[in-house]
Amino acid sequence: IIQLFRYNNSFFPMKFYLYKFLFLIVLNVLMSCSSTNLFSTDSAKTFNQVYQVIGNDKLIIRAITSEKECPFITWDDRIKEQLKLRVDSQNVPLRKPSDGVSSNFPIKTCEINWPTNVSKGSIFQQTLYPVKNEIEKIVILADTGCRLKDADNAYQDCNDSSKWPFKKIIESAAKLNPDLVVHVGDIHYRESPCPSNKEGCKNSPWGYGFDTWKADFFDPAKTLLNTTPWVYVRGNHESC
């Protein structure tokens, strides 16, 4: 089967309990503010995504992480092995002035090949299973990014799931429990900034840095990335 697809009663005790009550309110507010700020800071800086990709006749586990070191994977609940660094974090300078912004990648890419005679791997509190020997259900995707391009006067409503339904499509496809996902190219589409008068794409990242790749692909595709091996074909949008 191939499926195609384009969230007491005296004065003293009363006063004592009143002060205690007010103290607890103030303390609770202070702790809430503190914990909220710490959490939002950590969540903004931390990113971990692991997925499986097939290439060169190999099944590869790839992890994109903002951590300082490549993560470890545990094979069959017994053997731990660290993924190898593929690409380190970096800031790529402008290729040409029209690019507008430099490409910042505050993440590293790590990977490891599936070993033989291993039935599962655990990483980032996630359990992965190898691709099936017999592929029966395949999801095919193409041209999935949200278009923001000055040259074409094209500004898609990236914030509206009815106008850019990529995440909804991914979640629908995941319910089919596919054996494989094939993306035939053109993932990145946010080349230009969203105009100030366009609410549908307001605050969207743009350019060629990781924030754009995260918005255009890794966030909306997360459900299938977590569960299903992928095959990627590089489109002209991904040409370096």
Side-chain angles (χ1 to χ4, degrees), residues 9-191:
N9 224 352
S10 64
F11 175 74
F12 174 77
M14 286 180 63
K15 184 162 65 173
F16 171 77
Y17 288 125
L18 178 60
Y19 287 150
K20 183 178 179 181
F21 178 67
L22 291 174
F23 171 76
L24 289 173
I25 291 177
V26 173
L27 182 62
N28 185 59
V29 170
L30 290 174
M31 290 180 68
S32 297
C33 292
S34 174
S35 62
T36 299
N37 288 337
L38 286 171
F39 179 78
S40 61
T41 299
D42 289 346
S43 62
K45 292 183 177 180
T46 302
F47 180 88
N48 290 313
Q49 176 65 61
V50 61
Y51 60 99
Q52 299 180 77
V53 58
I54 298 175
N56 296 324
D57 296 322
K58 297 176 182 178
L59 178 58
I60 303 164
I61 294 178
R62 191 165 289 170
I64 297 177
T65 179
S66 56
E67 305 291 347
K68 293 181 179 180
E69 302 292 337
C70 285
F72 282 80
I73 187 167
T74 302
W75 304 112
D76 288 340
D77 300 323
R78 297 183 294 107
I79 303 170
K80 290 185 69 173
E81 188 174 2
Q82 188 175 22
L83 277 68
K84 309 302 181 185
L85 181 66
R86 176 180 170 89
V87 182
D88 207 349
S89 57
Q90 58 185 298
N91 190 40
V92 182
L94 290 174
R95 299 174 301 174
K96 54 185 185 297
S98 61
D99 283 351
V101 291
S102 60
S103 301
N104 185 29
F105 291 87
I107 43 87
K108 54 173 54 68
T109 302
C110 310
E111 66 180 25
I112 194 168
N113 294 340
W114 265 98
T116 58
N117 301 319
V118 167
S119 62
K120 66 179 180 178
S122 300
I123 181 173
F124 294 146
Q125 298 181 331
Q126 182 178 335
T127 302
L128 303 175
Y129 298 93
V131 65
K132 293 181 178 180
N133 291 327
E134 294 186 6
I135 303 297
E136 298 178 345
K137 292 186 289 185
I138 302 174
V139 169
I140 299 177
L141 301 165
D143 299 277
T144 53
C146 185
R147 171 74 78 183
L148 295 178
K149 189 173 183 179
D150 287 342
D152 296 340
N153 194 30
Y155 308 103
Q156 196 170 354
D157 293 341
C158 305
N159 302 330
D160 187 339
S161 61
S162 66
K163 302 293 181 61
W164 183 56
F166 183 35
K167 183 178 180 180
K168 294 172 68 174
I169 290 171
I170 287 289
E171 291 173 349
S172 295
K175 294 177 182 178
L176 299 170
N177 296 315
D179 302 319
L180 185 68
V181 179
V182 178
H183 198 303
V184 298
D186 291 356
I187 298 172
H188 177 283
Y189 272 80
R190 307 187 195 207
E191 301 176 62

Side-chain angles (χ1 to χ4, degrees), residues 216-233:
D216 243 359
F217 181 72
F218 288 103
D219 282 350
K222 186 175 182 63
T223 304
L224 275 181
L225 286 171
N226 287 347
T227 59
T228 311
W230 288 60
V231 171
Y232 295 94
V233 178

